[in-house]
Amino acid sequence: MRKTWFWALPLVAGSLLAGGLWLKEASTGERIVSRFPRNSETFVGDPMPYFDGKKMAIYYLEDHRDAAIGFHPFSLLTTENFREYNHFSEVLPYVNEVRDPERALGTGTVMQDQAGGYHCFYTAHNGELSPKERIMHAVSRDGKTWQKLPEDTFFASGDYEGDDFRDPFVMQAPESDEYWMLLTTRQKGTGVIAKYVSRDLKNWEDQGVFFVNDFGNDSNLECPSLVNFEDRWYLAFSDQWDKRVVHYRVAKKATGPFEPLAEEVDHVDGAGFYAGRLVTMKEQLYLVGWIPTKERSDDNFAYNWAGNLAWHRLKVNGAANLVACPDLDSTNEVETLKAGDARLATNGAGITIPAEKSGSYELDLVAGGIEKLIISFGKSNHLVVDRKAGRMAYYNTFEDQIADSKAITEMFLPQIIEQESPLTIVKEGEIIQLYYQGRALSNRIYAAKTQPLVIRRNN
């Protein structure tokens, strides 16, 4: 099982391409219908979403978990609605050689230049080399068939640590013909996001640190992304250690300063959702990441790297905070559970939903006077929604041991509620998401495949 913690990359294509060999053309794609898609035999790591004006192209690091020397090729999911996908496996390959710089591919970006050509800027990683990481460039006519341009490769400048130099996020600079590249790296013993600038997408100039870790620890800031939405700029990144969640900062200008909002949690989901990047599609804002698998596919073990694609549609509240929305599919049944259901009475048996059933469920906790709710899958997997404590959490323990146990994942609810919303439970197989008051809690619970979902009042 590979536990290498990798990064994200954006891709774009060039219009005029000279020399070199084109990589083999991608297949026509496999159709997948799922809220949380993945290839049936592989797993989704670090997504790199790009909206081309018609569809969302989500490039990602495909985790094969095989015995190959190299790992993490770029593969592709395309969608127009985040429900139905076409999957194209291995559109950008690694090099399966021990000493090759591209032994592993890391996160990057796919984007288009002003002429419509596609460019992919990506991380090449090899732990056998020094430095371990470098930034590489590939171009494409269609976003699926790529030509690598090794002559455009560059390394960290002397101001940064070369072994941590990855996850390029490339964008057209606002009101300029320049391009910006934001990179995960380190300086003076802490994680920073560096900014490089180019006019031709080939030559990049270091323009210094764009953002410095402000958590009070020294964590790397992985998979950065920067978008303009509703007259503000939002910078997102994932902390490689400590909380391992997707944070965001806000500024009035693209150049910053980027700051957390006062007295608010700076993330919309817990540690069961990682490497999320911000992207806009048809005037909507999305955060696209992944929900991890667990070691040995067992609830008693820790989350590991890669799993299923996952996403949240985001809105902005009056205080400029980002809030997560369930964005339920109107074509699927959304069952409204009655707050006055006798099964939800104190000491009631609870509402039971069969394990084989996937779906979305809404429950108005306020109308039912429910301060604390437990959602259980068997005897040792429980999701707790505690309105009084302002918290949602997932525990892998017996119910009578929850009070003395540490949560696997948790999410704090906002201190100020602008408008009450129902609790939404989204279940698809072993993946469970909770949405409440603009916050989400995503988890993989293998017991959900065999144990019914039981909802009970706990107050």
Side-chain angles (χ1 to χ4, degrees), residues 36-166:
F36 309 104
R38 72 172 179 90
N39 181 294
S40 60
E41 298 180 353
T42 64
F43 301 89
V44 174
D46 297 2
M48 298 158 265
Y50 173 66
F51 181 59
D52 66 5
K54 295 181 180 179
K55 65 181 180 301
M56 185 71 75
I58 304 172
Y59 298 85
Y60 70 92
L61 303 182
E62 189 168 19
D63 191 4
H64 286 270
R65 302 183 184 179
D66 55 18
I69 295 170
F71 48 102
H72 297 162
F74 275 39
S75 293
L76 171 64
L77 288 158
T78 62
T79 184
E80 297 180 9
N81 54 20
F82 285 98
R83 303 300 193 288
E84 300 167 295
Y85 296 84
N86 284 325
H87 181 259
F88 302 86
S89 188
E90 196 171 301
V91 296
L92 188 72
Y94 57 80
V95 179
N96 198 41
E97 298 178 9
V98 172
R99 299 289 297 177
D100 193 278
E102 294 183 78
R103 178 179 176 179
L105 303 190
T107 309
T109 296
V110 175
M111 37 97 55
Q112 285 177 282
D113 61 27
Q114 295 177 357
Y118 285 84
H119 297 259
C120 174
F121 296 92
Y122 61 100
T123 306
H125 175 96
N126 190 328
E128 302 289 329
L129 305 180
S130 182
K132 297 176 181 178
E133 297 181 337
R134 64 196 70 192
I135 305 304
M136 299 190 72
H137 184 200
V139 290
S140 173
R141 296 186 180 98
D142 62 3
K144 298 187 182 74
T145 305
W146 292 90
Q147 178 194 17
K148 293 180 178 179
L149 303 178
E151 65 271 21
D152 291 351
T153 301
F154 68 97
F155 299 83
S157 70
D159 291 335
Y160 310 118
E161 295 184 19
D163 284 346
D164 286 292
F165 191 68
R166 58 180 176 271

Side-chain angles (χ1 to χ4, degrees), residues 175-338:
E175 300 178 357
S176 169
D177 59 358
E178 294 181 335
Y179 294 91
W180 289 2
M181 179 185 289
L182 303 184
L183 287 151
T184 294
T185 187
R186 297 182 66 76
Q187 185 183 80
K188 298 178 181 178
T190 193
V192 302
I193 297 173
K195 176 184 170 185
Y196 281 64
V197 172
S198 175
R199 290 184 180 274
D200 60 5
L201 292 172
K202 293 181 69 68
N203 301 287
W204 293 89
E205 177 187 353
D206 176 16
Q207 291 203 345
V209 172
F210 185 75
F211 182 81
V212 180
N213 180 328
D214 60 359
F215 304 144
N217 66 12
D218 64 347
S219 175
N220 287 328
L221 311 178
E222 297 194 301
C223 305
S225 57
L226 176 65
V227 301
N228 181 254
F229 188 69
E230 295 192 3
D231 298 323
R232 293 181 178 87
W233 287 89
Y234 289 89
L235 174 69
F237 47 85
S238 297
D239 66 295
Q240 190 176 6
W241 48 80
D242 192 20
K243 286 186 171 63
R244 285 196 63 78
V245 300
V246 184
H247 304 262
Y248 69 92
R249 298 290 183 267
V250 188
K252 293 181 179 179
K253 298 186 297 183
T255 52
F258 286 89
E259 299 174 343
L261 294 163
E263 298 181 2
E264 272 294 332
V265 175
D266 69 347
H267 49 287
V268 300
D269 201 344
F273 176 95
Y274 194 72
R277 274 193 162 168
L278 296 169
V279 64
T280 56
M281 180 174 77
K282 299 177 181 178
E283 300 183 350
Q284 302 290 340
L285 179 63
Y286 294 88
L287 181 65
V288 184
W290 47 264
I291 294 175
T293 55
K294 294 176 181 176
E295 297 285 355
R296 305 186 192 181
S297 300
D298 189 322
D299 286 322
N300 295 314
F301 290 87
Y303 280 124
N304 54 17
W305 193 86
N308 290 60
L309 185 78
W311 52 274
H312 301 299
R313 186 166 68 88
L314 303 178
K315 291 184 178 180
V316 177
N317 71 9
N321 295 294
L322 295 178
V323 297
C325 310
D327 200 29
L328 302 176
D329 184 0
S330 59
T331 63
N332 291 332
E333 182 180 357
V334 179
E335 185 175 343
T336 300
L337 306 177
K338 295 180 180 179

